mmCIF file of all heavy atoms in Angstrom:
data_model
loop_
_atom_site.group_PDB
_atom_site.id
_atom_site.type_symbol
_atom_site.label_atom_id
_atom_site.label_comp_id
_atom_site.label_asym_id
_atom_site.label_seq_id
_atom_site.Cartn_x
_atom_site.Cartn_y
_atom_site.Cartn_z
ATOM 1 N N SER A 13 -116.417 64.882 243.441
ATOM 2 C CA SER A 13 -115.668 65.916 244.160
ATOM 3 C C SER A 13 -114.583 65.307 245.043
ATOM 4 O O SER A 13 -113.453 65.805 245.098
ATOM 5 C CB SER A 13 -116.617 66.755 245.017
ATOM 6 O OG SER A 13 -117.510 67.491 244.207
ATOM 7 N N ALA A 14 -114.925 64.222 245.746
ATOM 8 C CA ALA A 14 -113.983 63.614 246.682
ATOM 9 C C ALA A 14 -112.848 62.890 245.968
ATOM 10 O O ALA A 14 -111.714 62.861 246.465
ATOM 11 C CB ALA A 14 -114.716 62.650 247.611
ATOM 12 N N ARG A 15 -113.137 62.299 244.805
ATOM 13 C CA ARG A 15 -112.125 61.476 244.130
ATOM 14 C C ARG A 15 -111.208 62.300 243.228
ATOM 15 O O ARG A 15 -110.108 61.872 242.897
ATOM 16 C CB ARG A 15 -112.808 60.369 243.339
ATOM 17 C CG ARG A 15 -111.859 59.390 242.666
ATOM 18 C CD ARG A 15 -112.382 57.986 242.733
ATOM 19 N NE ARG A 15 -112.217 57.390 244.052
ATOM 20 C CZ ARG A 15 -112.738 56.221 244.408
ATOM 21 N NH1 ARG A 15 -113.458 55.527 243.543
ATOM 22 N NH2 ARG A 15 -112.551 55.742 245.616
ATOM 23 N N THR A 16 -111.627 63.460 242.815
ATOM 24 C CA THR A 16 -110.818 64.259 241.903
ATOM 25 C C THR A 16 -109.403 64.525 242.434
ATOM 26 O O THR A 16 -108.425 64.339 241.692
ATOM 27 C CB THR A 16 -111.529 65.586 241.571
ATOM 28 O OG1 THR A 16 -112.697 65.302 240.787
ATOM 29 C CG2 THR A 16 -110.629 66.527 240.780
ATOM 30 N N PRO A 17 -109.215 64.943 243.694
ATOM 31 C CA PRO A 17 -107.845 65.189 244.178
ATOM 32 C C PRO A 17 -106.948 63.956 244.086
ATOM 33 O O PRO A 17 -105.756 64.077 243.779
ATOM 34 C CB PRO A 17 -108.068 65.617 245.633
ATOM 35 C CG PRO A 17 -109.448 66.162 245.666
ATOM 36 C CD PRO A 17 -110.224 65.306 244.718
ATOM 37 N N THR A 18 -107.494 62.762 244.355
ATOM 38 C CA THR A 18 -106.703 61.532 244.276
ATOM 39 C C THR A 18 -106.230 61.276 242.852
ATOM 40 O O THR A 18 -105.082 60.871 242.616
ATOM 41 C CB THR A 18 -107.536 60.335 244.772
ATOM 42 O OG1 THR A 18 -107.977 60.590 246.105
ATOM 43 C CG2 THR A 18 -106.715 59.059 244.748
ATOM 44 N N LEU A 19 -107.112 61.523 241.900
ATOM 45 C CA LEU A 19 -106.739 61.315 240.495
ATOM 46 C C LEU A 19 -105.713 62.356 240.043
ATOM 47 O O LEU A 19 -104.819 62.041 239.251
ATOM 48 C CB LEU A 19 -107.989 61.361 239.613
ATOM 49 C CG LEU A 19 -108.976 60.198 239.822
ATOM 50 C CD1 LEU A 19 -110.251 60.419 239.011
ATOM 51 C CD2 LEU A 19 -108.333 58.868 239.442
ATOM 52 N N VAL A 20 -105.844 63.570 240.532
ATOM 53 C CA VAL A 20 -104.845 64.593 240.200
ATOM 54 C C VAL A 20 -103.480 64.203 240.767
ATOM 55 O O VAL A 20 -102.442 64.383 240.109
ATOM 56 C CB VAL A 20 -105.288 65.977 240.720
ATOM 57 C CG1 VAL A 20 -104.158 66.996 240.564
ATOM 58 C CG2 VAL A 20 -106.528 66.459 239.971
ATOM 59 N N GLU A 21 -103.469 63.644 241.957
ATOM 60 C CA GLU A 21 -102.208 63.170 242.540
ATOM 61 C C GLU A 21 -101.568 62.103 241.657
ATOM 62 O O GLU A 21 -100.353 62.084 241.457
ATOM 63 C CB GLU A 21 -102.457 62.611 243.949
ATOM 64 C CG GLU A 21 -102.757 63.660 244.997
ATOM 65 C CD GLU A 21 -103.057 63.042 246.355
ATOM 66 O OE1 GLU A 21 -102.884 61.804 246.488
ATOM 67 O OE2 GLU A 21 -103.461 63.784 247.271
ATOM 68 N N ALA A 22 -102.383 61.199 241.153
ATOM 69 C CA ALA A 22 -101.870 60.152 240.255
ATOM 70 C C ALA A 22 -101.281 60.770 238.989
ATOM 71 O O ALA A 22 -100.218 60.349 238.509
ATOM 72 C CB ALA A 22 -102.985 59.169 239.903
ATOM 73 N N LEU A 23 -101.953 61.776 238.464
ATOM 74 C CA LEU A 23 -101.452 62.460 237.267
ATOM 75 C C LEU A 23 -100.130 63.168 237.555
ATOM 76 O O LEU A 23 -99.188 63.109 236.757
ATOM 77 C CB LEU A 23 -102.501 63.454 236.765
ATOM 78 C CG LEU A 23 -103.752 62.849 236.117
ATOM 79 C CD1 LEU A 23 -104.887 63.865 236.072
ATOM 80 C CD2 LEU A 23 -103.418 62.355 234.705
ATOM 81 N N LEU A 24 -100.060 63.839 238.697
ATOM 82 C CA LEU A 24 -98.825 64.541 239.056
ATOM 83 C C LEU A 24 -97.674 63.562 239.308
ATOM 84 O O LEU A 24 -96.498 63.936 239.168
ATOM 85 C CB LEU A 24 -99.058 65.405 240.304
ATOM 86 C CG LEU A 24 -99.964 66.628 240.100
ATOM 87 C CD1 LEU A 24 -100.281 67.287 241.432
ATOM 88 C CD2 LEU A 24 -99.307 67.630 239.150
ATOM 89 N N ALA A 25 -98.005 62.317 239.647
ATOM 90 C CA ALA A 25 -96.981 61.288 239.861
ATOM 91 C C ALA A 25 -96.537 60.646 238.557
ATOM 92 O O ALA A 25 -95.682 59.750 238.560
ATOM 93 C CB ALA A 25 -97.506 60.221 240.812
ATOM 94 N N GLY A 26 -97.127 61.109 237.441
ATOM 95 C CA GLY A 26 -96.689 60.618 236.136
ATOM 96 C C GLY A 26 -97.557 59.525 235.544
ATOM 97 O O GLY A 26 -97.202 58.943 234.512
ATOM 98 N N GLU A 27 -98.701 59.256 236.145
ATOM 99 C CA GLU A 27 -99.538 58.164 235.639
ATOM 100 C C GLU A 27 -100.477 58.637 234.531
ATOM 101 O O GLU A 27 -100.853 59.803 234.468
ATOM 102 C CB GLU A 27 -100.332 57.539 236.780
ATOM 103 C CG GLU A 27 -99.453 56.839 237.805
ATOM 104 C CD GLU A 27 -100.256 56.029 238.794
ATOM 105 O OE1 GLU A 27 -100.994 56.641 239.600
ATOM 106 O OE2 GLU A 27 -100.143 54.791 238.770
ATOM 107 N N ARG A 28 -100.846 57.681 233.691
ATOM 108 C CA ARG A 28 -101.784 57.939 232.593
ATOM 109 C C ARG A 28 -103.172 57.551 233.096
ATOM 110 O O ARG A 28 -103.441 56.381 233.388
ATOM 111 C CB ARG A 28 -101.412 57.125 231.356
ATOM 112 C CG ARG A 28 -102.178 57.520 230.087
ATOM 113 C CD ARG A 28 -101.651 56.744 228.879
ATOM 114 N NE ARG A 28 -102.225 57.239 227.637
ATOM 115 C CZ ARG A 28 -101.736 58.227 226.913
ATOM 116 N NH1 ARG A 28 -100.639 58.856 227.332
ATOM 117 N NH2 ARG A 28 -102.313 58.614 225.787
ATOM 118 N N VAL A 29 -104.050 58.554 233.224
ATOM 119 C CA VAL A 29 -105.386 58.330 233.767
ATOM 120 C C VAL A 29 -106.399 58.393 232.631
ATOM 121 O O VAL A 29 -106.472 59.399 231.911
ATOM 122 C CB VAL A 29 -105.724 59.372 234.852
ATOM 123 C CG1 VAL A 29 -107.163 59.188 235.336
ATOM 124 C CG2 VAL A 29 -104.751 59.261 236.020
ATOM 125 N N LEU A 30 -107.181 57.348 232.504
ATOM 126 C CA LEU A 30 -108.215 57.272 231.470
ATOM 127 C C LEU A 30 -109.578 57.440 232.123
ATOM 128 O O LEU A 30 -109.899 56.746 233.099
ATOM 129 C CB LEU A 30 -108.147 55.926 230.754
ATOM 130 C CG LEU A 30 -109.176 55.688 229.637
ATOM 131 C CD1 LEU A 30 -108.889 56.574 228.441
ATOM 132 C CD2 LEU A 30 -109.189 54.219 229.217
ATOM 133 N N LEU A 31 -110.378 58.370 231.632
ATOM 134 C CA LEU A 31 -111.715 58.612 232.170
ATOM 135 C C LEU A 31 -112.757 58.169 231.148
ATOM 136 O O LEU A 31 -112.742 58.614 229.997
ATOM 137 C CB LEU A 31 -111.894 60.093 232.493
ATOM 138 C CG LEU A 31 -113.278 60.518 232.992
ATOM 139 C CD1 LEU A 31 -113.636 59.803 234.280
ATOM 140 C CD2 LEU A 31 -113.334 62.029 233.192
ATOM 141 N N VAL A 32 -113.658 57.284 231.586
ATOM 142 C CA VAL A 32 -114.752 56.839 230.720
ATOM 143 C C VAL A 32 -116.066 56.952 231.483
ATOM 144 O O VAL A 32 -116.110 56.791 232.697
ATOM 145 C CB VAL A 32 -114.558 55.387 230.235
ATOM 146 C CG1 VAL A 32 -113.358 55.266 229.317
ATOM 147 C CG2 VAL A 32 -114.432 54.414 231.403
ATOM 148 N N THR A 33 -117.133 57.226 230.756
ATOM 149 C CA THR A 33 -118.465 57.240 231.347
ATOM 150 C C THR A 33 -119.288 56.128 230.709
ATOM 151 O O THR A 33 -118.792 55.366 229.873
ATOM 152 C CB THR A 33 -119.133 58.610 231.153
ATOM 153 O OG1 THR A 33 -119.113 58.955 229.755
ATOM 154 C CG2 THR A 33 -118.396 59.685 231.934
ATOM 155 N N ASP A 34 -120.551 56.038 231.096
ATOM 156 C CA ASP A 34 -121.368 54.929 230.610
ATOM 157 C C ASP A 34 -121.561 54.962 229.101
ATOM 158 O O ASP A 34 -121.646 53.912 228.453
ATOM 159 C CB ASP A 34 -122.737 54.954 231.300
ATOM 160 C CG ASP A 34 -122.640 54.616 232.778
ATOM 161 O OD1 ASP A 34 -121.583 54.118 233.197
ATOM 162 O OD2 ASP A 34 -123.618 54.846 233.501
ATOM 163 N N ALA A 35 -121.664 56.148 228.535
ATOM 164 C CA ALA A 35 -121.877 56.276 227.091
ATOM 165 C C ALA A 35 -121.526 57.689 226.659
ATOM 166 O O ALA A 35 -121.822 58.653 227.354
ATOM 167 C CB ALA A 35 -123.329 55.971 226.734
ATOM 168 N N GLY A 36 -120.865 57.793 225.501
ATOM 169 C CA GLY A 36 -120.532 59.108 224.975
ATOM 170 C C GLY A 36 -119.271 59.689 225.587
ATOM 171 O O GLY A 36 -118.442 58.987 226.168
ATOM 172 N N MET A 37 -119.132 61.006 225.456
ATOM 173 C CA MET A 37 -117.922 61.705 225.879
ATOM 174 C C MET A 37 -118.016 62.201 227.321
ATOM 175 O O MET A 37 -118.987 62.855 227.684
ATOM 176 C CB MET A 37 -117.669 62.903 224.958
ATOM 177 C CG MET A 37 -116.440 63.732 225.331
ATOM 178 S SD MET A 37 -114.877 62.821 225.235
ATOM 179 C CE MET A 37 -114.698 62.673 223.452
ATOM 180 N N PRO A 38 -117.036 61.885 228.170
ATOM 181 C CA PRO A 38 -117.014 62.427 229.523
ATOM 182 C C PRO A 38 -117.126 63.949 229.504
ATOM 183 O O PRO A 38 -116.692 64.601 228.557
ATOM 184 C CB PRO A 38 -115.649 61.978 230.055
ATOM 185 C CG PRO A 38 -115.333 60.742 229.288
ATOM 186 C CD PRO A 38 -115.888 60.996 227.905
ATOM 187 N N SER A 39 -117.716 64.507 230.552
ATOM 188 C CA SER A 39 -117.919 65.946 230.760
ATOM 189 C C SER A 39 -119.180 66.472 230.098
ATOM 190 O O SER A 39 -119.685 67.524 230.485
ATOM 191 C CB SER A 39 -116.724 66.794 230.289
ATOM 192 O OG SER A 39 -115.622 66.594 231.139
ATOM 193 N N VAL A 40 -119.703 65.776 229.085
ATOM 194 C CA VAL A 40 -120.902 66.250 228.399
ATOM 195 C C VAL A 40 -122.117 65.621 229.076
ATOM 196 O O VAL A 40 -122.507 64.498 228.775
ATOM 197 C CB VAL A 40 -120.881 65.902 226.894
ATOM 198 C CG1 VAL A 40 -122.128 66.459 226.210
ATOM 199 C CG2 VAL A 40 -119.626 66.455 226.239
ATOM 200 N N SER A 41 -122.690 66.337 230.054
ATOM 201 C CA SER A 41 -123.777 65.836 230.898
ATOM 202 C C SER A 41 -123.373 64.561 231.628
ATOM 203 O O SER A 41 -124.211 63.733 231.981
ATOM 204 C CB SER A 41 -125.048 65.586 230.066
ATOM 205 O OG SER A 41 -125.755 66.775 229.881
ATOM 206 N N ASP A 42 -122.096 64.371 231.842
ATOM 207 C CA ASP A 42 -121.539 63.218 232.535
ATOM 208 C C ASP A 42 -120.385 63.687 233.407
ATOM 209 O O ASP A 42 -119.867 64.796 233.223
ATOM 210 C CB ASP A 42 -121.025 62.172 231.532
ATOM 211 C CG ASP A 42 -122.130 61.253 231.024
ATOM 212 O OD1 ASP A 42 -123.083 61.002 231.786
ATOM 213 O OD2 ASP A 42 -122.038 60.788 229.876
ATOM 214 N N PRO A 43 -119.928 62.862 234.353
ATOM 215 C CA PRO A 43 -118.766 63.251 235.156
ATOM 216 C C PRO A 43 -117.549 63.560 234.291
ATOM 217 O O PRO A 43 -117.381 62.979 233.225
ATOM 218 C CB PRO A 43 -118.521 62.011 236.028
ATOM 219 C CG PRO A 43 -119.841 61.326 236.093
ATOM 220 C CD PRO A 43 -120.467 61.555 234.743
ATOM 221 N N GLY A 44 -116.706 64.472 234.772
ATOM 222 C CA GLY A 44 -115.482 64.783 234.045
ATOM 223 C C GLY A 44 -115.022 66.211 234.155
ATOM 224 O O GLY A 44 -113.829 66.481 234.201
ATOM 225 N N PHE A 45 -115.967 67.139 234.203
ATOM 226 C CA PHE A 45 -115.587 68.549 234.183
ATOM 227 C C PHE A 45 -114.655 68.908 235.338
ATOM 228 O O PHE A 45 -113.652 69.596 235.155
ATOM 229 C CB PHE A 45 -116.826 69.453 234.208
ATOM 230 C CG PHE A 45 -116.491 70.905 234.441
ATOM 231 C CD1 PHE A 45 -115.935 71.670 233.422
ATOM 232 C CD2 PHE A 45 -116.688 71.486 235.686
ATOM 233 C CE1 PHE A 45 -115.604 73.001 233.641
ATOM 234 C CE2 PHE A 45 -116.359 72.816 235.910
ATOM 235 C CZ PHE A 45 -115.820 73.569 234.884
ATOM 236 N N ARG A 46 -114.990 68.447 236.548
ATOM 237 C CA ARG A 46 -114.158 68.788 237.705
ATOM 238 C C ARG A 46 -112.730 68.291 237.536
ATOM 239 O O ARG A 46 -111.768 68.987 237.871
ATOM 240 C CB ARG A 46 -114.769 68.202 238.984
ATOM 241 C CG ARG A 46 -116.037 68.883 239.462
ATOM 242 C CD ARG A 46 -116.483 68.319 240.799
ATOM 243 N NE ARG A 46 -117.669 68.981 241.318
ATOM 244 C CZ ARG A 46 -118.915 68.624 241.032
ATOM 245 N NH1 ARG A 46 -119.114 67.592 240.209
ATOM 246 N NH2 ARG A 46 -119.935 69.270 241.535
ATOM 247 N N LEU A 47 -112.585 67.088 237.035
ATOM 248 C CA LEU A 47 -111.247 66.523 236.865
ATOM 249 C C LEU A 47 -110.475 67.273 235.784
ATOM 250 O O LEU A 47 -109.282 67.567 235.951
ATOM 251 C CB LEU A 47 -111.342 65.038 236.516
ATOM 252 C CG LEU A 47 -110.012 64.307 236.342
ATOM 253 C CD1 LEU A 47 -109.126 64.456 237.570
ATOM 254 C CD2 LEU A 47 -110.254 62.830 236.037
ATOM 255 N N VAL A 48 -111.133 67.604 234.697
ATOM 256 C CA VAL A 48 -110.472 68.359 233.628
ATOM 257 C C VAL A 48 -110.026 69.716 234.145
ATOM 258 O O VAL A 48 -108.879 70.139 233.922
ATOM 259 C CB VAL A 48 -111.405 68.518 232.411
ATOM 260 C CG1 VAL A 48 -110.776 69.456 231.378
ATOM 261 C CG2 VAL A 48 -111.690 67.166 231.772
ATOM 262 N N ALA A 49 -110.918 70.411 234.846
ATOM 263 C CA ALA A 49 -110.587 71.737 235.366
ATOM 264 C C ALA A 49 -109.412 71.652 236.336
ATOM 265 O O ALA A 49 -108.504 72.503 236.309
ATOM 266 C CB ALA A 49 -111.805 72.354 236.047
ATOM 267 N N ALA A 50 -109.398 70.641 237.196
ATOM 268 C CA ALA A 50 -108.313 70.488 238.165
ATOM 269 C C ALA A 50 -106.998 70.160 237.467
ATOM 270 O O ALA A 50 -105.934 70.660 237.854
ATOM 271 C CB ALA A 50 -108.665 69.388 239.168
ATOM 272 N N ALA A 51 -107.063 69.341 236.432
ATOM 273 C CA ALA A 51 -105.852 68.991 235.688
ATOM 274 C C ALA A 51 -105.289 70.210 234.958
ATOM 275 O O ALA A 51 -104.070 70.433 234.925
ATOM 276 C CB ALA A 51 -106.152 67.866 234.699
ATOM 277 N N VAL A 52 -106.157 71.010 234.388
ATOM 278 C CA VAL A 52 -105.716 72.216 233.676
ATOM 279 C C VAL A 52 -105.023 73.172 234.641
ATOM 280 O O VAL A 52 -103.994 73.785 234.304
ATOM 281 C CB VAL A 52 -106.916 72.888 232.976
ATOM 282 C CG1 VAL A 52 -106.535 74.273 232.456
ATOM 283 C CG2 VAL A 52 -107.427 72.019 231.834
ATOM 284 N N LEU A 53 -105.565 73.311 235.853
ATOM 285 C CA LEU A 53 -104.942 74.188 236.853
ATOM 286 C C LEU A 53 -103.526 73.732 237.194
ATOM 287 O O LEU A 53 -102.656 74.546 237.498
ATOM 288 C CB LEU A 53 -105.795 74.230 238.121
ATOM 289 C CG LEU A 53 -107.054 75.096 238.076
ATOM 290 C CD1 LEU A 53 -107.847 74.935 239.365
ATOM 291 C CD2 LEU A 53 -106.702 76.566 237.847
ATOM 292 N N GLU A 54 -103.286 72.431 237.137
ATOM 293 C CA GLU A 54 -101.963 71.881 237.448
ATOM 294 C C GLU A 54 -101.083 71.777 236.203
ATOM 295 O O GLU A 54 -99.988 71.212 236.251
ATOM 296 C CB GLU A 54 -102.113 70.493 238.087
ATOM 297 C CG GLU A 54 -102.798 70.493 239.443
ATOM 298 C CD GLU A 54 -101.951 71.110 240.532
ATOM 299 O OE1 GLU A 54 -100.725 71.324 240.292
ATOM 300 O OE2 GLU A 54 -102.484 71.387 241.619
ATOM 301 N N GLU A 55 -101.592 72.326 235.088
ATOM 302 C CA GLU A 55 -100.868 72.306 233.809
ATOM 303 C C GLU A 55 -100.550 70.877 233.355
ATOM 304 O O GLU A 55 -99.496 70.591 232.794
ATOM 305 C CB GLU A 55 -99.587 73.147 233.895
ATOM 306 C CG GLU A 55 -99.866 74.612 234.197
ATOM 307 C CD GLU A 55 -98.619 75.476 234.173
ATOM 308 O OE1 GLU A 55 -97.504 74.905 234.155
ATOM 309 O OE2 GLU A 55 -98.752 76.709 234.151
#
């Protein structure tokens, strides 16, 4: 929750942000949903 806004700022500044989890696809029972939702809101 705390780090998502910082990553969104990086995205809005034009940076390419790569999200990885320990195994498998992010957001599927792993961190990621909050960041995806926030990025979608910012188009």
Side-chain angles (χ1 to χ4, degrees):
S13 294
R15 184 141 284 172
T16 292
T18 303
L19 293 174
V20 171
E21 288 177 8
L23 288 162
L24 290 172
E27 294 190 293
R28 191 175 188 88
V29 176
L30 180 69
L31 177 61
V32 294
T33 54
D34 291 346
M37 179 62 72
S39 290
V40 182
S41 278
D42 276 329
F45 170 75
R46 288 186 178 88
L47 181 55
V48 173
V52 169
L53 283 175
E54 295 290 347
E55 299 185 348

